[in-house]
Amino acid sequence: MSGRAPADAPLTRAQKFQWFLEKGLAEGLRPLPAGTDEAAAQRLVHALEDRFEILRTSLAVVDGELRQLVHPSGSPVRVVDVAPDGTAERSLADLVRVFTAHTHGRVGRFLVQFHLLRSEDRRWLAVVADNVAVDAGFHGVVDQQLTDLLHGRTDSPDAGVPHRGPGIQPAEQARREADPGEDTERTRALDYLRRHFSHAPARMHPHHPPGEGTAGRYYRSTLTLPGADGLFARGMAHTGLLPSAVVLAAFAQLLCLRADTDACTVNVSLDNRHNADLRRVLCATAQRTPVALRREGRSLLEAAAEVQRTLAEGHPAYGRYDPFDLIRERVEAQHRRGVCLSTDLAFNFIPPPQGWRELIEAEPGPTDGPGSTGGSGSTDWPGSRISWASTAETSYEYGASLSVRWADPHTVRLSVHGDSRVLEPEQCAALLRGVELVLTRAATGRDCSPDEVASAVGLLRLPRGPRERYSGGRWIDLRAIEDLLLALPGVTAAGASLEPGGASGTPRLTARVTAADGSALTPFDLREELLRAAHTGAIPVVPDWFEIDGGDVSDGRSLPGRPAARAEETALLTALSGTGPGRAPDLDLCYLRAGGRPEHYPRFAELLRRLGYHPPGFAQVSGMATLRSLARELRPSGRAGGRPAAPAG
């Protein structure tokens, strides 16, 4: 980091989200011409760094604020010799382990590292990066730039798209976000989030926490689709719908049918929801927006039109929200509504490298070409195939995540990263074949229904337990609610049932408990305990009504005569939020709920300062996950002092 002084700027909202919550990595391996030496590789990397400042960026705490520092050049290219009995992929895996142990999530280190791998006369350029700098979409942009540089092209605008230079760099994006003129747009984005969470559907699948025996539980299944450029072009010509909308509609509708639910929420990535090439907004770390999609009846093309309209109308708001606003709004809505609003599905669509216009103007081809189907039969596009492999992961955020990426200008790969307890690999293969069938039908201008597709590819509905009941567009496991109630101190018997008397004529979910003698349980206590399970997804919904035999009966939303906060709690809450303890649903109380004691607050604040933040306003720092982690270090049983969250570089 020598030379001219680096320029500094705040982190973008999306970068903060990646730094504090997602903590992801990106890595890649690119073959280089035989005999490429270290100097040539360094020149190649310098050319990339000149175009993309994020490749020469580190993070640092400046005057108590976490900021990005843009340096004149990045981390030097290091040469790594591949072991005689090894492979380039194995060497890259070793580099990732070193990056994770010594660089990832630490201030004072470059966010991106390049390495030249050598094995006899073969050469590769390896990149390892923090997702704060490189997300999946930007990784594709860098790869395309490498292709252009290796072929001697200094500029490669998309077909039909005016070239706009390097795009928006993260430092520029951060300054735009800090501009007072952004306040109006941010208010609109926050209103969008509030509207979404006020009616978003509950979680589709039960949450299965990681535990013992998880080997092989998580997997990746990929459908390779040769000739996808022509397939997509014919679909657009016949339907007027973007392929991203068709794929997302098929993905969501088929999984709603499988789970037998009325709606689902999908986290849609930045490049897809803008329906534009990522080259127009470079280096802005992808930020996902939750989109609620309803079951649209019989026609999948009608559902795709609704998806496209939803994404297009949301464009002014998507990407403007603060990611921590999303956390706060979701938690508040979960407490207010008593439902788990965590999303089950994620969707990421990388637009084609040659641009949409070239696809639309492609040769239409025959009306019924290879791969089209009648009412039933094989949906295989020529050469299409599905691969499957388990991963070494022990936890995953979504039940199923679909990514659509281009392997080359003509071939697309549809990859599902799945949890086998939610979607078995065999059923995942059926799902991928279902998406393929919808695309081939759209390419000939024909429509189909989710039931048709599911029947053709063998996608089955989920089996349901004896105590699961369907109500309000979702399945409720009464046994799971009863088990949670029975586990509470002071509860000797519990039952849950759906009875008449709910809002708008729907059944009311009622919980009845018998309390032990001398117990002071209230409906408020029961609801608060069950809300914790709803927050994790263990149950999708909290009962609407609570009855305690011989005791109180209510909806559990209030506690008459609740004890006043102690003086030290009031002081702590005032420091946390600046508004005292009256906020609902107590997001700023998460420090206390995570086990932190008021007398340990100064140590807690010091740990936050090491992350680059000062109180008040912990809701703006990192959400529940990091706060729980920090609070855990303050418990008397924890290690004294805890470890520094961000050691010096």
Side-chain angles (χ1 to χ4, degrees):
M1 300 185 188
S2 58
R4 300 192 306 274
D8 75 295
L11 267 66
T12 67
R13 299 170 194 140
Q15 285 176 324
K16 292 176 185 176
F17 193 56
Q18 293 279 357
W19 180 260
F20 287 110
L21 288 184
E22 297 210 332
K23 301 184 181 297
L25 281 173
E27 70 268 4
L29 200 61
R30 177 62 186 260
L32 296 178
T36 302
D37 60 15
E38 184 177 357
Q42 189 68 68
R43 286 195 298 272
L44 191 64
V45 170
H46 278 324
L48 291 171
E49 291 174 349
D50 286 344
R51 188 168 179 83
F52 307 120
E53 65 184 26
I54 195 64
L55 301 180
R56 45 189 167 88
T57 295
S58 67
L59 301 187
V61 178
V62 179
D63 295 330
E65 179 188 3
L66 192 64
R67 297 177 71 85
Q68 52 183 322
L69 303 183
V70 182
H71 302 264
S73 61
S75 179
V77 175
R78 294 177 173 84
V79 178
V80 177
D81 290 313
V82 178
D85 59 343
T87 63
E89 289 76 15
R90 197 174 301 167
S91 295
L92 177 60
D94 292 338
L95 293 172
V96 170
R97 280 192 289 271
V98 173
F99 188 92
T100 301
H102 302 290
T103 302
H104 189 214
R106 290 167 172 79
V107 297
R109 316 292 173 90
F110 281 110
L111 296 171
V112 182
Q113 291 181 354
F114 288 96
H115 304 268
L116 176 64
L117 305 189
R118 301 186 304 195
S119 177
E120 297 178 348
D121 62 340
R122 301 184 66 187
R123 301 290 186 271
W124 300 266
L125 186 65
V127 59
V128 186
D130 195 307
N131 274 164
V132 171
V134 176
D135 56 39
F138 181 51
H139 195 284
V141 172
V142 172
D143 192 64
Q144 181 62 47
Q145 291 297 313
L146 278 171
T147 300
D148 295 342
L149 290 167
L150 290 171
H151 288 82
R153 297 193 295 269
T154 58
D155 210 348
S156 59
D158 297 335
V161 178
H163 186 58
R164 301 178 182 231
I168 299 175
Q169 305 282 3
E172 177 188 356
Q173 178 69 19
R175 294 186 187 101
R176 291 185 180 195
E177 290 176 357
D179 189 287
E182 283 279 303
D183 289 345
T184 301
E185 294 301 324
R186 284 198 59 201
T187 299
R188 291 179 60 190
L190 190 56
D191 288 342
Y192 162 80
L193 284 177
R194 286 173 179 158
R195 288 195 306 272
H196 167 79
F197 286 118
S198 68
H199 62 263
R203 189 181 182 97
M204 178 190 299
H205 297 107
H207 176 66
H208 300 285
E212 295 182 3
T214 57
R217 171 176 165 184
Y218 303 99
Y219 64 88
R220 183 179 296 277
S221 188
T222 300
L223 168 67
T224 302
L225 203 59
D229 55 341
L231 185 68
F232 285 4
R234 287 190 287 277
M236 285 189 286
H238 279 293
T239 67
L241 298 170
L242 287 172
S244 55
V246 177
V247 174
L248 176 53
F251 178 53
Q253 295 289 307
L254 289 174
L255 283 179
C256 277
L257 180 144
R258 172 177 160 77
D260 202 8
T261 56
D262 291 345
C264 65
T265 296
V266 186
N267 268 345
V268 181
S269 70
L270 174 75
D271 46 314
N272 175 73
R273 68 174 183 260
H274 281 226
N275 282 310
D277 198 335
L278 195 64
R279 287 177 180 81
R280 299 187 188 180
V281 187
L282 298 180
C283 306
T285 302
Q287 181 177 318
R288 293 188 299 272
T289 289
V291 178
L293 299 176
R294 311 282 165 179
R295 288 177 71 174
E296 297 295 332
R298 300 178 60 101
S299 168
L300 274 169
L301 290 185
E302 288 177 5
E306 179 63 19
V307 166
Q308 184 161 298
R309 184 191 65 78
T310 300
L311 297 181
E313 288 185 357
H315 171 79
Y318 294 174
R320 298 280 188 168
Y321 67 81
D322 188 320
F324 300 115
D325 288 346
L326 182 147
I327 297 171
R328 183 176 63 250
E329 291 301 324
R330 185 182 70 186
V331 172
E332 289 183 356
Q334 287 186 157
H335 279 70
R336 182 174 61 253
R337 296 177 54 192
V339 296
C340 175
L341 298 175
S342 297
T343 51
D344 289 273
L345 312 175
F347 181 66
N348 181 42
F349 191 106
I350 305 297
Q354 65 268 44
W356 292 116
R357 178 171 297 183
E358 185 174 328
L359 277 187
I360 296 172
E361 295 174 354
E363 182 65 31
T367 302
D368 284 286
S372 64
T373 65
S376 62
S378 172
T379 66
D380 291 0
W381 196 248
S384 74
R385 62 187 186 276
I386 291 179
S387 62
W388 174 87
S390 61
T391 68
E393 292 174 272
T394 58
S395 65
Y396 192 61
E397 183 179 0
Y398 304 102
S401 175
L402 175 64
S403 296
V404 183
R405 293 186 173 87
W406 295 78
D408 59 51
H410 307 289
T411 306
V412 151
R413 287 179 180 153
L414 285 75
S415 297
V416 171
H417 193 154
D419 182 346
S420 58
R421 296 190 183 180
V422 171
L423 183 69
E424 304 92 334
E426 297 80 7
Q427 284 294 286
C428 180
L431 171 69
L432 287 170
R433 289 299 186 202
V435 175
E436 182 184 14
L437 174 57
V438 174
L439 288 170
T440 56
R441 288 284 187 91
T444 58
R446 289 180 291 167
D447 204 349
C448 48
S449 70
D451 289 286
E452 259 187 283
V453 175
S455 175
V457 300
L459 186 68
L460 305 176
R461 281 181 165 83
L462 280 173
R464 294 294 174 182
R467 294 281 287 153
E468 288 189 85
R469 299 291 184 270
Y470 188 74
S471 178
R474 57 181 176 260
W475 286 89
I476 300 171
D477 189 343
L478 302 178
R479 176 66 179 272
I481 295 173
E482 291 168 351
D483 289 344
L484 287 168
L485 289 170
L486 283 170
L488 299 180
V491 174
T492 60
S497 59
L498 288 165
E499 302 174 353
S504 305
T506 59
R508 183 174 70 180
L509 179 58
T510 300
R512 292 185 176 87
V513 303
T514 301
D517 292 340
S519 173
L521 278 177
T522 67
F524 178 88
D525 299 323
L526 299 177
R527 187 173 191 274
E528 285 288 297
E529 290 295 334
L530 291 183
L531 277 172
R532 302 186 188 199
H535 181 78
T536 62
I539 55 175
V541 60
V542 170
D544 308 298
W545 193 252
F546 297 89
E547 298 181 3
I548 300 177
D549 289 346
D552 295 337
V553 175
S554 79
D555 60 6
R557 294 176 181 272
S558 61
L559 177 63
R562 186 179 185 180
R566 292 177 296 161
E568 60 268 31
E569 290 178 336
T570 301
L572 172 60
L573 293 172
T574 301
L576 286 172
S577 64
T579 59
R583 294 185 68 245
D586 303 325
L587 180 63
D588 291 338
L589 272 171
C590 53
Y591 165 73
L592 293 174
R593 290 183 171 180
R597 296 172 61 84
E599 58 268 27
H600 293 153
Y601 169 78
R603 174 65 179 155
F604 181 75
E606 174 59 24
L607 289 173
L608 285 175
R609 276 192 285 272
R610 292 185 187 180
L611 292 175
Y613 284 82
H614 286 284
F618 290 142
Q620 300 173 7
V621 178
S622 59
M624 298 297 290
T626 299
L627 290 170
R628 282 175 176 158
S629 175
L630 290 173
R632 191 178 302 119
E633 299 188 17
L634 302 177
R635 293 176 181 169
S637 59
R639 293 180 290 113
R643 71 177 187 280

